[in-house]
Amino acid sequence: MYLVMTILILQNMVKLKADIIYEVAKMNTEIFLIRHGETIWNTKKLIQGQLDSPLTDNGIRQSNLLSQRIKKINPDIIYTSDLKRAIDTANIINQHINKDIIEISGVRERNWGVFQGADWSKVKKFFPTQYKYYRNDSKNYKIPNGESYTQVTKRTMDSLEDIVENHKNQKVVIVTHGGVISPLIRDLLSIPYKTHKKFVISNTSITKLLYNDFGFSILSLGDIAHLEGEKNN
C-alpha cells in the first residue's frame, strides 16, 4: 500500500512539474532588437549620440532588405527610438506589415554630450580634460551635457522590462541604436565592462531575445543574413 501511495505521489509531482513547465513555456515574449540603417555620420565615423543624421542610400537599401525579414516575423507591434534615423528605419521595415509604431525616448542612443558631432581625434583636441576623465572611467564618467555608460544601461533596461511587461506572449520589434544594444547584451551576459567586446552590432542587424519567468535569453546576436543574401526566417 505504501508503495502504491509513493508511486501516486511521484506521478502527481511529475505531472505538476510538467504543468508548471508548460505554463512557463506559454509565457514567451520574443524581442527583436534592431539597429537603425546606415547614416551619413556612420560613414564619416562621427559621434552621433542624440543628434541626428539622415540614412544613406545604403541605409535605405539595408532597411528595405530588412523589411522582408520583418514581414516573415510578423511582429505584433514596433517600438522605436524617437530619433529620426530610427524612426525612418522603423517606417521602412513596417511597409509590408502596417503595424502600430510607438516612439519612445527610453531606447534612444546614448547622449554623448559635448562629444556629439565630432570624431575621436577632435574630441581629444578640443576636449582634452573631458577625454582624459572619460578614458580613466568610461563606465561611470558622465560626459558634460550627456550620460554615462551606467546611466544608459539602466535607462534602456528599464524600458525593455516595461515593454515585455506590456506585451506578454507577443513578438515585439524595437528599432534602436548600437550604443543601446551593446550595453544590454553585456548586462544580460554579465560581460565585465573592461572585457573586450567580441560581438558586432551592424546597421539593421537583428538581435533576438526571449523573455519568460526565467528572465531573458539571447537567441541570436547581430544577425545580418538579410544583407548577405541568405534566406532566413
Side-chain angles (χ1 to χ4, degrees), residues 35-98:
R35 185 185 175 195
H36 61 80
E38 179 190 76
T39 69
I40 291 175
W41 281 17
N42 284 154
T43 64
K44 294 182 176 180
K45 301 190 182 305
L46 300 179
I47 302 170
Q48 293 184 109
Q50 295 185 1
L51 298 182
D52 236 325
S53 170
L55 299 180
T56 62
D57 289 343
N58 184 48
I60 293 171
R61 180 189 68 84
Q62 292 171 335
S63 301
N64 275 304
L65 290 171
L66 175 61
S67 71
Q68 298 297 326
R69 295 280 302 279
I70 300 304
K71 180 180 179 181
K72 293 178 182 178
I73 292 169
N74 191 27
D76 295 283
I77 194 164
I78 298 175
Y79 279 82
T80 180
S81 154
D82 58 358
L83 297 178
K84 189 174 186 301
R85 58 189 183 272
I87 295 171
D88 288 348
T89 302
N91 284 327
I92 293 172
I93 66 175
N94 192 37
Q95 62 185 306
H96 300 300
I97 53 178
N98 196 30

Side-chain angles (χ1 to χ4, degrees), residues 2-231:
Y2 289 117
L3 179 60
V4 172
M5 290 180 62
T6 300
I7 292 173
L8 288 173
I9 291 171
L10 288 173
Q11 287 176 336
N12 288 332
M13 289 175 63
V14 170
K15 182 178 183 301
L16 178 60
K17 185 176 181 180
D19 288 343
I20 292 172
I21 292 173
Y22 176 71
E23 288 300 316
V24 169
K26 290 196 302 182
M27 294 188 291
N28 287 333
T29 300
E30 295 177 72
I31 302 291
F32 300 85
L33 299 174
I34 294 171
R35 185 185 175 195
H36 61 80
E38 179 190 76
T39 69
I40 291 175
W41 281 17
N42 284 154
T43 64
K44 294 182 176 180
K45 301 190 182 305
L46 300 179
I47 302 170
Q48 293 184 109
Q50 295 185 1
L51 298 182
D52 236 325
S53 170
L55 299 180
T56 62
D57 289 343
N58 184 48
I60 293 171
R61 180 189 68 84
Q62 292 171 335
S63 301
N64 275 304
L65 290 171
L66 175 61
S67 71
Q68 298 297 326
R69 295 280 302 279
I70 300 304
K71 180 180 179 181
K72 293 178 182 178
I73 292 169
N74 191 27
D76 295 283
I77 194 164
I78 298 175
Y79 279 82
T80 180
S81 154
D82 58 358
L83 297 178
K84 189 174 186 301
R85 58 189 183 272
I87 295 171
D88 288 348
T89 302
N91 284 327
I92 293 172
I93 66 175
N94 192 37
Q95 62 185 306
H96 300 300
I97 53 178
N98 196 30
K99 302 294 183 178
D100 289 336
I101 297 178
I102 300 177
E103 299 174 19
I104 58 173
S105 61
V107 296
R108 61 165 55 173
E109 180 61 282
R110 176 179 178 175
N111 187 341
W112 285 89
V114 296
F115 294 174
Q116 295 182 157
D119 60 25
W120 285 107
S121 64
K122 289 183 178 178
V123 168
K124 287 186 279 188
K125 179 179 179 180
F126 293 107
F127 302 100
T129 301
Q130 293 85 352
Y131 179 73
K132 179 181 177 181
Y133 289 147
Y134 170 75
R135 292 293 296 172
N136 287 339
D137 188 10
S138 56
K139 181 178 181 180
N140 298 303
Y141 176 61
K142 182 179 179 294
I143 301 164
N145 302 324
E147 296 176 287
S148 70
Y149 176 95
T150 302
Q151 288 174 317
V152 174
T153 303
K154 183 181 186 307
R155 163 169 64 82
T156 54
M157 184 57 77
D158 287 346
S159 293
L160 185 60
E161 289 175 349
D162 286 343
I163 289 171
V164 296
E165 179 64 28
N166 291 325
H167 297 283
K168 294 177 180 178
N169 304 316
Q170 292 187 333
K171 296 178 181 179
V172 182
V173 162
I174 304 175
V175 183
T176 182
H177 307 266
V180 166
I181 299 172
S182 290
L184 284 176
I185 297 304
R186 280 183 174 273
D187 189 61
L188 292 174
L189 293 177
S190 299
I191 300 174
Y193 177 75
K194 292 188 177 181
T195 299
H196 177 66
K197 185 181 72 172
K198 296 181 179 180
F199 58 88
V200 177
I201 304 298
S202 302
N203 292 110
T204 70
S205 63
I206 302 173
T207 295
K208 183 178 179 180
L209 309 179
L210 183 69
Y211 181 81
N212 54 35
D213 281 358
F214 297 113
F216 287 101
S217 300
I218 301 173
L219 302 186
S220 67
L221 180 60
D223 177 1
I224 52 169
H226 51 284
L227 302 183
E228 299 171 347
E230 297 178 14
K231 292 183 178 180

